[in-house]
Amino acid sequence: MKVAWEINQGVGELILSAPPSNSLTLSFFHQFGEVIREAEKSKQLKAMIIRGKGRHFSSGADLNELLPAIKNDILLTHYQDFNTLSRSNIPIIASISGVCLGAAFELALCCHFRICTPDAVFGMPETTFNLIPAIGGIEKLLKIAGKANAMKLLLGGNTFSADDALSLGVVDKIVSKGEINTFVHNLAVSIPTPYHAWAKRFYLNKFIRQYHLND
Amino acid sequence: MEQDQLVTFEIIGSIGILTLDAPPGNYLPVPAFIPPELFSEWTADETLKGLIIHGSGRNFSAGADLAAMLNPAIRPELSKPLLRQGHQLLSSIEDLDMPVIAAINGVCFGGGLEIALACHIRIASEKSLFAFPEINRNLIPGLGGTFRLPALTTRAHAITTILGGDIINAHDAYSMGIVDQVTPSDSFKFALELMEKITRDKPVKVIRYAMRALNNAGKINPEKAALIESEMFCELASDEVARRKITGEHL
C-alpha cells in the first residue's frame, strides 16, 4: 500500500493507495508516521485532506499481516501518530466514500472533520474478529456519540450508513460523489490557521452558508 | 437470608438479570441496595456476558424509602457511610466490564433513577416516568444523580429536572438524552434482545476487554488508557493467531 502525499498551494492530500480496498498494511502505518512527522514540520501546510484512492476509503487493517507482527511498542507508536493528527493545529478533513471500517474508521475519527458521500459505509467490526480497536477510535467515538451508542457500535460490530453516521454525529455532512472533492478542498481552504477544535461548528456552518450562496 | 434483601439475581443464557424485587414500588431500603459482597460475587462469574437491571412488576423503582430515611430514630451522621457504600455500588455498576442495561417500566424516581443513570444503556417503555422528587422534601439526589444527569443531558435540563422535581415522560426523557431507546411495550424484552445482539457469538474475554477500554476512555489518564488498550489488543491478537493456527482460518 502506498501513502501518496502531495501539497498543493498549502493543502496537503494524503491518499490511501491500494485500490480497491486500500487495506492498511504495516507499511501504511510506517509511511503514515513519516508523513505526519513531515507535516508537523512544514511551514506551508495549511490543511490536510485524507481520502482513499478509487471507490472506497479503506476496508481497514490487513489482519493477516498485522496480527502475527503486532507488538505493544509498535501499536503505541501508531496510537501516538494518530493522536498527533487529532491534535494538529491545521484542519484535518477525512473525505470518505465507500467503506470506512475498523482501523480506517479510527483514522477517520482522528480527523477533525468527516465529510462523506451518500454511499459511505462505516463500522467498528473489531470485536467480530475477537479484537478491539486500539488506536484511539473508542475514545473518539465515545466523545462524539456517547456511551450507549459507542457500546452498541463497538460490541455489535455492525456496519452503518452515511445517514446513521450523520444522526450520530460521526459524520459532519453528506455530499454527493460529484461535489465532494470540491467541497472538501474549499472547506480546507476556508479554515484559518491555527485551527481551534472548539470553533469547529462555527467554521463548518459558515463555510456551508457561503458555499451554498455561491452555488 | 437477609431481611430486606431487595435484589434477586439469576442467569439466563450468559446474561445476568438483576431484579429489584419489592413490588409495586421496589423502594430502596438502603443506599447500597445490593450488599456489596453479593454484587461482587454475582459479577465475578467468568461466563457472564452482560447484566440487565429491571424492576419486578409494573415499576422500575420509586427510589429511596424517604419516610424511613427521614425517621428521627436514625441519626443523620450514620447515613454518610451508608451513602458512600451506595456510591461505591453505583460506581461498580458503571465501571463493570460487561454491558449493563437498565430496562425501565413504569416509575423510575429518585434513587431508582440514579441506579438507571449508572447503567450503560437505558431502555424505557413508552409509559415510563422519570423524576428527581427529592427537592420536594427539601433534599437533593444523594446517589450521583447530580453528576450523572448533567453528563448525559444538557446542564440546563439537569438543573430544571433536579430543581423542578417534576415528572418527565419517556419521550421527553429520550429527547433529553436520559433514555437511549423508547419501546412500545415491556422494555425487558427489548433489553434482552439488544443484549443478545451485542454479546452473542462473542467470547467473554473480548467483551470484557472492549468494555474495559470503553470504561477507561475519558475517565482515566489518556496515556494510561492507551497503554492498557495496547496490551489488551496485543493479547487478543496473539490469542487470535493461535486460534487461527488450530482452525486453519485465513482472513
Side-chain angles (χ1 to χ4, degrees):
Chain A
M1 127 88 77
K2 180 168 169 345
V3 174
W5 170 241
E6 217 178 83
I7 305 181
N8 279 321
Q9 299 179 321
V11 178
E13 274 211 4
L14 193 158
I15 304 178
L16 312 171
S17 285
S21 62
N22 299 328
S23 252
L24 306 181
T25 57
L26 285 172
S27 152
F28 156 76
F29 288 104
H30 181 71
Q31 293 176 65
F32 180 77
E34 288 187 340
V35 168
I36 293 305
R37 279 181 278 286
E38 201 186 297
E40 262 192 309
K41 290 187 261 168
S42 164
K43 296 259 191 306
Q44 345 122 273
L45 196 59
K46 300 257 190 57
M48 189 190 295
I49 297 170
I50 301 182
R51 59 185 173 85
K53 182 168 186 181
R55 184 173 170 171
H56 300 289
F57 186 77
S58 163
S59 57
D62 181 344
L63 291 182
N64 284 327
E65 191 204 29
L66 191 79
L67 290 187
I70 197 69
K71 301 266 185 306
N72 225 350
D73 49 357
I74 302 176
L75 189 53
L76 279 171
T77 309
H78 299 163
Y79 173 86
Q80 298 300 359
D81 290 339
F82 276 39
N83 216 25
T84 302
L85 191 71
S86 64
R87 284 195 318 237
S88 163
N89 70 350
I90 59 165
I92 317 279
I93 305 172
S95 176
I96 302 156
S97 66
V99 305
C100 177
L101 305 171
F105 182 43
E106 287 187 279
L107 174 60
L109 286 172
C110 288
C111 299
H112 302 136
F113 297 84
R114 281 158 294 284
I115 313 290
C116 75
T117 54
D119 73 330
V121 169
F122 300 85
M124 213 169 224
E126 286 86 338
T127 57
T128 66
F129 292 103
N130 299 330
L131 300 167
I132 58 172
I135 31 182
I138 293 178
E139 184 193 338
K140 302 281 183 322
L141 185 61
L142 179 67
K143 243 198 217 150
I144 292 172
K147 192 151 193 184
N149 287 323
M151 218 165 104
K152 287 192 228 174
L153 293 177
L154 173 62
L155 291 180
N158 296 327
T159 54
F160 55 102
S161 67
D163 284 334
D164 288 337
L166 192 64
S167 339
L168 286 167
V170 160
V171 130
D172 302 304
K173 187 119 175 80
I174 302 177
V175 176
S176 77
K177 238 184 183 130
E179 296 188 317
I180 192 169
N181 288 342
T182 319
F183 184 97
V184 165
H185 179 87
N186 290 343
L187 173 62
V189 158
S190 78
I191 297 170
T193 321
Y195 168 75
H196 294 295
W198 48 260
K200 171 177 168 168
R201 287 281 123 215
F202 172 71
Y203 294 140
L204 186 63
N205 291 337
K206 181 174 180 190
F207 171 72
I208 289 172
R209 279 196 314 269
Q210 291 176 336
Y211 186 78
H212 281 283
L213 279 175
N214 296 335
D215 237 331
Chain B
M1 174 70 152
E2 283 248 5
Q3 171 230 26
D4 272 351
Q5 189 169 297
L6 169 69
V7 186
T8 60
F9 181 70
E10 65 177 314
I11 300 183
I12 299 181
S14 326
I15 312 297
I17 314 288
L18 266 170
T19 310
L20 308 172
D21 196 0
N26 299 329
Y27 282 99
L28 313 178
V30 286
F33 63 99
I34 308 171
E37 335 76 62
L38 262 189
F39 183 72
S40 303
E41 193 186 300
W42 293 338
T43 55
D45 185 333
E46 283 177 351
T47 63
L48 267 191
K49 287 188 175 181
L51 214 60
I52 296 179
I53 301 183
H54 76 135
S56 173
R58 302 188 54 183
N59 299 305
F60 186 78
S61 167
D65 187 350
L66 285 180
M69 265 182 51
L70 295 174
N71 186 332
I74 304 170
R75 286 181 302 164
E77 300 93 284
L78 291 177
S79 64
K80 262 195 237 165
L82 286 180
L83 275 176
R84 196 172 14 244
Q85 259 198 338
H87 269 288
Q88 277 167 0
L89 178 62
L90 289 186
S91 289
S92 303
I93 290 174
E94 193 175 55
D95 294 336
L96 204 55
D97 56 0
M98 63 181 101
V100 183
I101 301 181
I104 302 157
N105 293 330
V107 153
C108 182
F109 291 170
L113 178 49
E114 286 173 303
I115 295 172
L117 291 177
C119 299
H120 304 140
I121 297 181
R122 281 153 295 285
I123 298 187
S125 76
E126 225 172 18
K127 298 221 178 87
S128 54
L129 298 169
F130 302 82
F132 274 126
E134 289 88 339
I135 198 88
N136 301 321
R137 289 190 190 247
N138 295 335
L139 294 170
I140 60 170
L143 278 182
T146 53
F147 49 88
R148 291 203 174 91
L149 186 60
L152 285 173
T153 183
T154 62
R155 196 153 64 150
H157 278 143
I159 291 173
T160 49
T161 304
I162 291 173
L163 290 184
D166 297 325
I167 297 176
I168 299 164
N169 67 45
H171 291 287
D172 286 345
Y174 174 77
S175 318
M176 285 162 60
I178 296 173
V179 146
D180 302 301
Q181 191 180 338
V182 177
T183 65
S185 58
D186 181 14
S187 59
F188 184 78
K189 205 166 45 109
F190 286 83
L192 202 51
E193 263 168 32
L194 174 62
M195 184 64 90
E196 253 143 41
K197 195 168 88 150
I198 62 179
T199 59
R200 175 183 50 212
D201 297 336
K202 298 218 168 59
V204 176
K205 191 175 185 183
V206 173
I207 294 174
R208 299 303 172 93
Y209 281 15
M211 285 306 298
R212 250 175 247 177
L214 191 59
N215 288 339
N216 284 344
K219 214 174 190 185
I220 71 174
N221 170 281
E223 272 97 55
K224 188 153 182 236
L227 209 69
I228 296 174
E229 201 177 76
S230 288
E231 282 171 4
M232 292 195 292
F233 181 88
C234 291
E235 197 183 310
L236 291 174
S238 73
D239 286 353
E240 184 59 8
V241 168
R243 191 190 70 83
R244 287 182 187 191
K245 280 212 178 90
I246 299 173
T247 66
E249 255 169 77
H250 221 241
L251 186 54

